[in-house]
Amino acid sequence: MLYNDVELDSPPTFEIGEKVRIKKLIRNDGTFPGKEIGETLAKKGEIGYVVNIGTFLQSSYIYSVHFLYTGHIIGCRQKELEIVE
């Protein structure tokens, strides 16, 4: 996505209830309560389900994903997720 591309001009890539896989390691950037900054929240390949869809800076979707292994619900961008068939 380029600087002036607005993801919100299109419908969300994923739907609530959809099964997804994380494409990269996700660490706490300081926004996940109860975990240290830099602590691993989800490992590459973990499976979860989209439980909510929000927006970020009026330009992109944020998908709240419930990861089954850890029980964490983490906000992810579209580029960090892929559909599990």
Side-chain angles (χ1 to χ4, degrees), residues 41-62:
L41 298 176
K43 295 179 182 174
K44 181 179 178 179
E46 284 190 45
I47 304 292
Y49 290 87
V50 177
V51 294
N52 196 10
I53 302 171
T55 61
F56 178 70
L57 295 177
Q58 299 178 348
S59 65
S60 37
Y61 290 107
I62 298 296

Side-chain angles (χ1 to χ4, degrees), residues 12-71:
T13 303
F14 307 105
E15 297 178 11
I16 292 176
E18 196 156 23
K19 188 175 184 180
V20 293
R21 178 182 298 114
I22 194 80
K23 292 167 53 175
K24 66 178 218 161
L25 177 74
I26 301 293
R27 296 183 184 274
N28 185 14
D29 61 2
T31 59
F32 194 92
K35 299 286 184 182
E36 295 292 323
I37 292 175
E39 191 171 341
T40 299
L41 298 176
K43 295 179 182 174
K44 181 179 178 179
E46 284 190 45
I47 304 292
Y49 290 87
V50 177
V51 294
N52 196 10
I53 302 171
T55 61
F56 178 70
L57 295 177
Q58 299 178 348
S59 65
S60 37
Y61 290 107
I62 298 296
Y63 301 92
S64 296
V65 179
H66 181 209
F67 290 96
L68 304 178
Y69 180 73
T70 62

